[in-house]
Amino acid sequence: MRCSVTRGIGLTLCKAYYGTVLALGLGYAFFTNPANFAYDLSLIWAPCAMVVASLSLWLLHKKARAARFVSPTGTLVAATLAVLDMVAFNAYGVLQPQMGTAVVNGLVAAGLVGAACTALYLAFAPQPRSLLTVPLNMKPGAESGHSWDVPLRKRVRTKAFWRDLAIYFTSFAFMGHWAEMLFCLGIAAGIFAGTYDFREVMLWHQWLFPYLAEAIAMLFVVVLLHPFKQWLLRKLHGNVPLALVISIVLIALVCTSIDFTAGMICNQDYTVWDYRDLPFNFMGQICLQNSTVYTIACTLLVWVVYPAMDTGLRRMPRDMANKLCISLVAVFAFCALLHFLYVNPSGHLTLGMVMLPE
């Protein structure tokens, strides 16, 4: 027993290192004003460090053999990117006035030493070779009870359902933002009516700003709209045209409701969008054109995109899907804390979208 405990101390210290990196990354996002977060190399190394720390903790917890390669490699890559950002992109100059020279120097030195020691230990020490021996599960991700033929009330009891739900939520928080950018480019090209402003920081510059309305809409696709579509097809004995029409009506109601609710919560002063000049608008928060576009896009999600994604996830090796989920959640957590919460030097907390000057 004593020998086993002694042999596990090194891995415990590795877990402590990655846990510290994860905590520091979240703290950095929490206390950093988005206006001071440069969308250059910082956008690569900070989420990269979050992903490496999260994956490493999970791999070490599973005693996975892959930790002996993935964790050292990822750790060194993240550390190298951080040093390049400090030196070449003046991240050091940004942090120094906020935290002080001694604190920044101490954190940098401790981070580099910790990264080097952890990477070398996991890659070359004999203990990880004897303790990290479990292979990753490379079987397809489909699990019993995790298919469309099973009622939703039973599917929610599987871990795979919640893992996939997290993947959809986090990925569509970013993809929804990029779709909004494409829509505004369509306005600029004259395809759609409305106004656009290329100076809007949140939309055009902070392109990893999570759009929660689109993420929530994807949840509705998974738990309501797609199951309803499957139910319709069964009840209508495969009558696709009629099922499609009824599905579109429900999708239009859901999309318009989400858009209006989001507007009433975060856009009462019309700083995010303003539809008052567009025809067939209601309170300037929703309009016929946008509701139609959202309905068409969501119908494609329900009938084409989501089925393809879900099929792909169920064919993906289980632990590959788990790693994808952990990575997306880590990046989303960093970006959400960065953009939705901010504690300024005086201790005042800004909750909600941190709006920046143009």
Side-chain angles (χ1 to χ4, degrees):
M1 172 67 73
R2 184 177 179 181
C3 179
S4 177
V5 171
T6 303
R7 291 176 66 198
I9 289 178
L11 294 185
T12 301
L13 291 176
C14 290
K15 292 179 182 178
Y17 166 78
Y18 288 118
T20 302
V21 170
L22 196 62
L24 288 175
L26 293 174
Y28 172 64
F30 185 71
F31 288 99
T32 298
N33 187 335
N36 296 330
F37 184 78
Y39 266 55
D40 48 27
L41 194 59
S42 297
L43 186 65
I44 300 177
W45 78 259
C48 176
M50 297 289 296
V51 169
V52 170
S54 301
L55 283 179
S56 296
L57 284 173
W58 176 68
L59 291 170
L60 291 174
H61 173 73
K62 289 176 63 70
K63 291 183 170 55
R65 188 168 54 215
R68 288 158 42 196
F69 172 76
V70 173
S71 297
T73 303
T75 300
L76 293 178
V77 168
T80 301
L81 291 174
V83 170
L84 287 175
D85 192 40
M86 288 285 181
V87 175
F89 291 88
N90 198 35
Y92 184 90
V94 174
L95 294 175
Q96 187 180 24
Q98 298 177 357
M99 305 174 66
T101 303
V103 174
V104 174
N105 289 342
L107 288 175
V108 170
L112 291 178
V113 171
C117 292
T118 302
L120 291 173
Y121 173 78
L122 291 174
F124 300 109
Q127 289 83 4
R129 281 200 217 94
S130 61
L131 295 177
L132 302 176
T133 58
V134 179
L136 292 178
N137 189 341
M138 300 306 289
K139 295 181 179 179
E143 298 181 7
S144 176
H146 185 59
S147 68
W148 300 332
D149 297 328
V150 177
L152 184 63
R153 65 179 182 276
K154 294 184 179 180
R155 292 177 63 194
V156 297
R157 299 173 187 172
T158 64
K159 293 181 181 178
F161 174 83
W162 295 102
R163 176 202 65 201
D164 294 353
L165 202 65
I167 290 174
Y168 295 132
F169 180 86
T170 52
S171 61
F172 273 85
F174 301 120
M175 287 193 287
H177 184 163
W178 305 333
E180 190 76 21
M181 294 171 69
L182 288 175
F183 182 66
C184 289
L185 289 175
I187 295 175
I191 299 174
F192 305 109
T195 59
Y196 62 94
D197 187 355
F198 286 123
R199 298 172 301 169
E200 186 180 348
V201 175
M202 184 186 73
L203 179 63
W204 300 107
H205 176 66
Q206 298 176 336
W207 47 271
L208 276 185
F209 192 112
Y211 273 30
L212 297 185
E214 282 77 357
I216 294 172
M218 190 59 193
L219 296 187
F220 275 95
V221 169
V222 176
V223 303
L224 173 64
L225 299 175
H226 186 269
F228 179 74
K229 168 217 144 184
Q230 294 297 104
W231 177 84
L232 274 177
L233 288 174
R234 289 194 299 270
K235 291 297 181 181
L236 298 174
H237 306 289
N239 189 335
V240 174
L242 182 56
L244 179 61
V245 171
I246 298 174
S247 174
I248 287 175
V249 173
L250 178 62
I251 289 171
L253 292 173
V254 171
C255 289
T256 304
S257 299
I258 292 175
D259 200 23
F260 181 74
T261 302
M264 295 305 295
I265 292 174
C266 64
N267 190 46
Q268 294 187 27
D269 55 358
Y270 302 103
T271 56
V272 184
W273 67 80
D274 187 354
Y275 302 151
R276 287 176 292 183
D277 293 334
L278 295 180
F280 305 106
N281 78 84
F282 180 68
M283 296 179 63
Q285 302 293 352
I286 56 176
C287 66
L288 180 60
Q289 171 191 265
N290 289 26
S291 293
T292 302
V293 171
Y294 298 154
T295 299
I296 293 173
C298 193
T299 300
L300 290 174
L301 284 177
V302 171
W303 285 79
V304 180
V305 178
Y306 168 65
M309 291 180 66
D310 190 76
T311 300
L313 280 176
R314 284 189 280 137
R315 291 177 178 174
M316 184 181 294
R318 293 183 184 180
D319 279 336
M320 292 293 291
N322 292 334
K323 289 197 289 186
L324 175 62
C325 177
I326 291 170
S327 301
L328 285 171
V329 169
V331 175
F332 176 83
F334 178 86
C335 293
L337 280 177
L338 177 67
H339 292 293
F340 298 144
L341 292 172
Y342 169 54
V343 177
N344 62 25
S346 64
H348 177 70
L349 173 65
T350 300
L351 177 63
M353 291 189 296
V354 181
M355 304 303 296
L356 304 180
E358 297 175 352

